[in-house]
Amino acid sequence: MPLLGAYIVPHPPIILPKIGKGEEIKIRKTTESYHTIARQIAALKPDTIIIASPHTIMYSDYFHISPGRSAKGSFAGFGAKQISFQVEYDEEFVEMLEVLAEREGIEAGTLGEKDPSLDHGTMIPLYFINQYLKDYKLVRIGLSGLSIPEHYHLGKCIAETAEKQNKRIVFVASGDLSHKLKEDGPYGFAKEGPQFDKEVTDAMAEGNFLQFMEFTPDFCEAAAECGLRSFVIMAGALDNLAVKPTLLSYEGPFGVGYAVCAYEITGEDRNRNFDTIFAAKQRAIALENQKNEDSYVKLARLSLETYVTTGKYAKLPEDLKKEMRSRKAGVFVSLKKYGQLRGCIGTISPVTGSVAEEILHNAVSAGFEDPRFPPVTEEELPELVYSVDVLAEPEKISSMEELDVRRYGVIVTSGRKRGLLLPNLEGVDSVRQQVAIAKKKAGIYDNETFTMERFEVVRHS
């Protein structure tokens, strides 16, 4: 079996004595666990080690695979330039992985390398592995802003590449857990931090990779997690394989969660195809939502589905509520797929003759004109969950004290720059955060003056 084993590891530079200067003793269990898995990897004698790292080059719409014959790196940025590395890349593996990814429609490859030096998410695992193993090649892969299923899919391509080349490989998923475990930690405390770490380490220990895929984006952002997508790529590489998990340790004394988990491959298990299971569950959720949609959301769905399948705008149904035909208002239509935003476009003030027409046009715009996403495809339609926000007339306010993140949305304006944020959004817990996000969307810098308006919405979902 080409895939010999897989490991989840953290990457705290403080674990190195020359950087920690005594503080590393506080994560002694992590150090001991690292030596354990490094010895295991050496005993497996892999030809190639695959490392997925959150700290190498990352793009929103592309998986970057490090190119070339070799790379160097050091901990100079952490005050320990004497700790350095030079690795040899597996060019043959990378070349085939690119081909297979392209065949599968995955945006992945070696283009766009801005900095060839090794990152600490790669070097920390190598620091321990190199103490026990010398003769191997490396493949270094970055994460992306693409969906969780696409990360899983890339993992499947990695396993297929190993199979086709008959290479012995080990997968190392580098990633810390939450960065919000303690008030005096680097990012402070959030209640989601300890909750995330408990749930994700339970999933690690059980080998429940479906749980990795089901964490919501808002929950992950609130927890300030680091390595989840590394873990999902690993899960994809282990697709249809039976594993014996061993959670060796978990620690978080510095306010950041560090877990070490080993996965011994024990055979095949065709029931462990978590991408298929995940997609089926998400489609079931979308279908259940459809059963409870009101007329506003049904119209948004009708509009986008008609446009995707025919290229034409839908006609307004005859049985629409009178208020939808007669009232004018700004409307935002939001689309989600697998819990992630898939598109959101709206109008602050009405630009058509009615709320119904506003929905009709903005639903299509959400699916085709949001610059953050590619156009919605026909295959995606059964997986989309819609919401429609109908905006009340905005009113000017003079201070943030007049805002309430649950009740009011905010509009910020500076000259021609204008940004809006809807109310009651997951992960937006304070007025200051709400205004900061709206300013960022508008491109308003901190040194620029701006005015604010608030508005209420009626949300249909």
Side-chain angles (χ1 to χ4, degrees), residues 8-15 27 30 34 52-55 120-121 124-125 143 173-179 181 186-187 196-197 200-201 204 223-231 250-251 255-260:
I8 288 174
V9 297
H11 46 244
I14 201 170
I15 200 171
I27 49 172
T30 303
Y34 242 127
S53 171
H55 295 288
H120 74 274
I124 292 293
L143 313 184
S174 178
D176 298 334
L177 306 187
S178 171
H179 284 60
L181 301 181
Y187 296 90
F196 175 85
D197 280 17
V200 79
T201 51
M204 289 179 193
E225 66 82 20
C226 165
L228 183 64
R229 289 171 184 245
S230 289
F231 311 158
Y250 168 78
E251 297 179 296
V256 179
Y258 306 134
V260 179

Side-chain angles (χ1 to χ4, degrees), residues 9-11 34 51 120-129 172 174:
V9 297
H11 46 244
Y34 242 127
I51 293 184
H120 74 274
T122 299
M123 292 188 292
I124 292 293
L126 294 185
Y127 173 84
F128 291 96
I129 293 170
V172 176
S174 178

Side-chain angles (χ1 to χ4, degrees), residues 308-358:
V308 170
T309 55
T310 70
K312 299 178 181 178
Y313 282 90
K315 294 181 179 179
L316 292 178
E318 294 294 332
D319 60 347
L320 281 180
K321 292 181 177 181
K322 182 179 178 181
E323 66 189 50
M324 295 176 68
R325 288 183 174 276
S326 59
R327 181 186 173 194
K328 292 184 179 182
V331 169
F332 273 74
V333 176
S334 301
L335 314 172
K336 284 192 173 182
K337 177 183 174 182
Y338 300 159
Q340 282 190 288
L341 186 67
R342 183 61 181 85
C344 180
I345 293 289
T347 45
I348 298 174
S349 302
V351 296
T352 67
S354 68
V355 166
E357 291 178 72
E358 214 80 22

Side-chain angles (χ1 to χ4, degrees), residues 203-216:
M204 289 179 193
E206 296 166 5
N208 180 8
F209 299 154
L210 181 62
Q211 179 65 61
F212 292 168
M213 304 178 75
E214 291 185 327
F215 288 112
T216 67

Side-chain angles (χ1 to χ4, degrees), residues 218-249:
D218 292 323
F219 177 61
C220 292
E221 183 176 351
E225 66 82 20
C226 165
L228 183 64
R229 289 171 184 245
S230 289
F231 311 158
V232 173
I233 298 174
M234 179 204 73
L238 293 169
D239 185 69
N240 284 325
L241 294 175
V243 297
K244 178 184 176 182
T246 303
L247 181 64
L248 284 85
S249 63

Side-chain angles (χ1 to χ4, degrees), residues 156 159 237:
K156 292 171 70 171

Side-chain angles (χ1 to χ4, degrees), residues 129-289:
I129 293 170
N130 287 355
Q131 295 178 46
Y132 302 92
L133 180 68
K134 301 297 182 186
D135 188 17
Y136 66 88
K137 291 185 179 180
L138 183 72
V139 174
R140 181 171 60 140
I141 299 174
L143 313 184
S144 80
L146 295 170
S147 71
I148 287 293
E150 285 172 290
H151 283 73
Y152 192 97
H153 198 178
L154 178 64
K156 292 171 70 171
C157 282
I158 290 168
E160 184 180 353
T161 303
E163 188 80 37
K164 287 183 177 296
Q165 294 191 347
N166 196 29
K167 283 188 174 176
R168 298 167 58 85
I169 72 165
V170 163
F171 194 104
V172 176
S174 178
D176 298 334
L177 306 187
S178 171
H179 284 60
K180 290 193 173 184
L181 301 181
K182 299 175 68 175
E183 290 288 357
D184 59 352
Y187 296 90
F189 175 81
K191 65 182 187 300
E192 292 86 355
Q195 183 184 348
F196 175 85
D197 280 17
K198 174 65 167 60
E199 292 182 14
V200 79
T201 51
D202 284 349
M204 289 179 193
E206 296 166 5
N208 180 8
F209 299 154
L210 181 62
Q211 179 65 61
F212 292 168
M213 304 178 75
E214 291 185 327
F215 288 112
T216 67
D218 292 323
F219 177 61
C220 292
E221 183 176 351
E225 66 82 20
C226 165
L228 183 64
R229 289 171 184 245
S230 289
F231 311 158
V232 173
I233 298 174
M234 179 204 73
L238 293 169
D239 185 69
N240 284 325
L241 294 175
V243 297
K244 178 184 176 182
T246 303
L247 181 64
L248 284 85
S249 63
Y250 168 78
E251 297 179 296
F254 306 120
V256 179
Y258 306 134
V260 179
C261 193
Y263 295 93
E264 177 188 350
I265 298 169
T266 58
E268 294 187 356
D269 185 345
R270 295 297 170 180
N271 293 316
R272 291 180 62 82
N273 52 344
F274 295 106
D275 56 341
T276 303
I277 298 168
F278 177 75
K281 287 187 70 174
Q282 294 298 316
R283 288 192 189 100
I285 291 170
L287 184 61
E288 190 62 31
N289 280 353

Side-chain angles (χ1 to χ4, degrees), residues 301-425:
R301 182 181 293 278
L302 171 68
S303 175
L304 182 57
E305 290 185 350
T306 300
Y307 194 87
V308 170
T309 55
T310 70
K312 299 178 181 178
Y313 282 90
K315 294 181 179 179
L316 292 178
E318 294 294 332
D319 60 347
L320 281 180
K321 292 181 177 181
K322 182 179 178 181
E323 66 189 50
M324 295 176 68
R325 288 183 174 276
S326 59
R327 181 186 173 194
K328 292 184 179 182
V331 169
F332 273 74
V333 176
S334 301
L335 314 172
K336 284 192 173 182
K337 177 183 174 182
Y338 300 159
Q340 282 190 288
L341 186 67
R342 183 61 181 85
C344 180
I345 293 289
T347 45
I348 298 174
S349 302
V351 296
T352 67
S354 68
V355 166
E357 291 178 72
E358 214 80 22
I359 294 171
L360 204 69
H361 287 82
N362 290 349
V364 172
S365 296
F368 281 82
E369 296 177 14
D370 190 326
R372 297 168 293 181
F373 306 99
V376 166
T377 64
E378 188 169 352
E379 292 74 19
E380 294 178 279
L381 293 177
E383 302 166 335
L384 296 180
V385 175
Y386 295 67
S387 64
V388 176
D389 288 291
V390 181
L391 280 60
E393 190 70 26
E395 57 179 338
K396 292 184 179 181
I397 58 174
S398 57
S399 76
M400 292 187 194
E401 292 179 359
E402 299 176 72
L403 289 171
D404 179 328
V405 292
R406 298 289 170 243
R407 180 179 178 184
Y408 297 112
V410 65
I411 302 168
V412 295
T413 305
S414 179
R416 295 184 177 181
K417 299 177 183 178
R418 203 175 195 202
L420 174 148
L421 196 69
L422 297 168
N424 200 25
L425 297 177

